[in-house]
Every structure is written in structure tokens, then in C-alpha cells.
Amino acid sequence: MTELLSLPWRLVPLTDAHCQELCAWRYPEPYHRYNWPDWATMLAEQREFADPDIRVAQYCGAVDEDGGLVGFAQFFPMTGVTRLGLGLRPDLCGQGRRGGVREAGGVSWRDKACTGEKAAVEVAGDTPSDGPDDGEAPSCGQDAVNLGRRAEPHEPSGNCAVRDGLGTRFVRLLVAEALRRAPHPAHEVDLEVFVWNERAIRAYERAGFTITDTYDKWTPEGSEPVHCMVYTGPRPPLG
């Protein structure tokens, strides 16, 4: 699919094997909220990428030169906006320029019984969780992650890279893919991030995102404040 500029990674369709691997990834506290349920539960509830239609329409994986899964992304469509959700493999998180970062961090509604983050993103690995049956996004945040019933964008989760580390570059390249998929040049790209996740916020800012709103979101652990960040960085030339 898409070659990630400046990174030796490629964006590819998510396979069943990739999905099972994502469900086995485990992040330490306080990022444990970004862990997906086990694959059997995901399949039984048809959550997020366990739903074949949602997987094809919204999700992709990022693989390295050896074909190993290093991250994932969700491009959740909304009116005039694509809500970005993403995550990096746990062992790559927080590595900054040394090689990796889990910059996506999102509010995870996947565990919700909620729907959202588990889809949305924070560079470390956010994903939206359950949501409305029609695939309606939870809101800038729910973290844009998907829904058990339907997919939603999930907030990025995890630690952010330092300066322009792996996480920041990963986010920029996913933004480029989101803009490539956009139906028109003025289409926006946004994401949600927990207010406490300062490292992720800094990484998103380095990648070209700006905080435009702050509000409380419901999560499996209670209501928490999140920022909605909109991409305001450079765009590819028209034509």
C-alpha cells in the first residue's frame, strides 16, 4: 500500500494474524487502558477491526522491512473530518529518535463498553471502542476508536517520541495517508488525546496538530478530560 516516507515501514491491510497480535499487545500503566480485549471477545462482539467491513474501510497495519507488525492506524470518516487513531507496538513506545514510540494514545472506549478511543488515537496505541451500531463516531474523542457495535476512531495512546522521533514521523505519515484518502482538499484530520498525556500532546504538536477544544469524555474508568487536536500543518500541493 503506502510507503511511510522517512521510515522503512509500509502500510498494509490488516490480516487476521495482525489482529490477533494487536489483541496480545500489553501496555504498562497508565497506558493499560489502550489494551484491546482478547481476540475471541473481539470476534464475538464484532468490535472494531474484528468486523470485516470496518477493518477494510478504516484500518491498516504498519510493518517493517521484515514484515513484522509495528503499528496500526484507523481512519474514521466523519462529515468533513477524518478522525485519526493509531498505536505503536509496546516495545517501540517511548523510544523517541532511537526507534520507536507509542504515540497514539486514545481514550479507549473499546473497553466500555464504550466505544471510542479504542479507535481514536494517541500515538501510542489508541483505539476506539464500542459505539453505535451505525458506526457513528463517539465524538472527537471517544477516542475515535471503534465500537463494539460499530467502529469509532480511538484516541492515540501512549508515550510520545522526543522531538521528531519515530512516533512523530509515524503520525505525520499517517496524516499524509489520511489526506490522500480525503474526498476534497479542505477535508480536516483530527484526533483526541487525554489531557494528562503531555508527551503524546507534544508529539502531536510536532506533527502539526493544534488543540482546538477540551471536554470531558466517558471512559471505562470514569469521565476524563480530553483535547481534540486538529491538523493545521503543511498539506501536499493541489494537483
Side-chain angles (χ1 to χ4, degrees), residues 1-4 7-15 18 21 60-72 89 92 170:
M1 289 177 68
T2 301
E3 191 77 33
L4 292 184
L7 287 176
W9 295 355
R10 292 175 298 114
L11 295 182
V12 300
L14 276 182
T15 64
H18 289 153
E21 186 173 345
C60 69
V63 298
D64 60 20
E65 303 107 307
D66 299 322
L69 188 67
V70 292
F72 73 94
R89 202 173 62 206
L92 296 179
F170 184 40

Side-chain angles (χ1 to χ4, degrees), residues 101-160:
V101 113
R102 171 199 183 189
E103 291 199 332
V107 179
S108 98
W109 320 101
R110 64 186 104 180
D111 299 324
K112 150 184 202 208
C114 175
T115 283
E117 180 241 356
K118 249 265 66 208
V121 178
E122 252 193 31
V123 187
D126 276 13
T127 21
S129 52
D130 322 277
D133 290 349
D134 60 358
E136 174 184 353
S139 90
C140 193
Q142 228 184 316
D143 257 45
V145 187
N146 14 244
L147 335 161
R149 303 331 132 253
R150 259 328 27 155
E152 287 188 14
H154 78 262
E155 174 197 351
S157 61
N159 310 328
C160 287

